[in-house]
Amino acid sequence: MSAMDKIKQMLKGHEDQAGKGIDKAGDTIDDRTHGKYGKQVKSGQDKLKQQLGSDRDQGGRPHS
């Protein structure tokens, strides 16, 4: 079992909280770099949320 699989298993049922954590971490990085890497941070946040399955809205549909 890969590390990503283990993380997904641990977060199962808590996707919304994981998504909020990813947003908060990305925002902190963006603040500390004064927005210099904003596009890269946003891209990283989106990819990580997609991997963890936390990119869904309240109805369970993926964000567009």
Side-chain angles (χ1 to χ4, degrees):
M1 180 179 280
S2 73
M4 185 57 80
D5 290 336
K6 289 180 183 179
I7 292 170
K8 286 180 184 180
Q9 187 177 6
M10 288 182 352
L11 294 176
K12 191 169 188 166
H14 304 284
E15 292 86 0
D16 292 338
Q17 289 175 327
K20 289 177 185 178
I22 292 167
D23 286 338
K24 188 172 182 176
D27 292 346
T28 299
I29 293 168
D30 203 29
D31 287 343
R32 290 187 180 195
T33 60
H34 305 288
K36 184 175 181 180
Y37 303 104
K39 289 181 184 178
Q40 291 88 343
V41 170
K42 177 66 176 152
S43 176
Q45 286 173 312
D46 292 343
K47 288 178 183 178
L48 188 54
K49 285 182 187 180
Q50 187 177 29
Q51 281 285 329
L52 297 177
S54 61
D55 63 342
R56 301 189 178 277
D57 64 13
Q58 297 291 32
R61 296 176 303 258
H63 288 290
S64 45

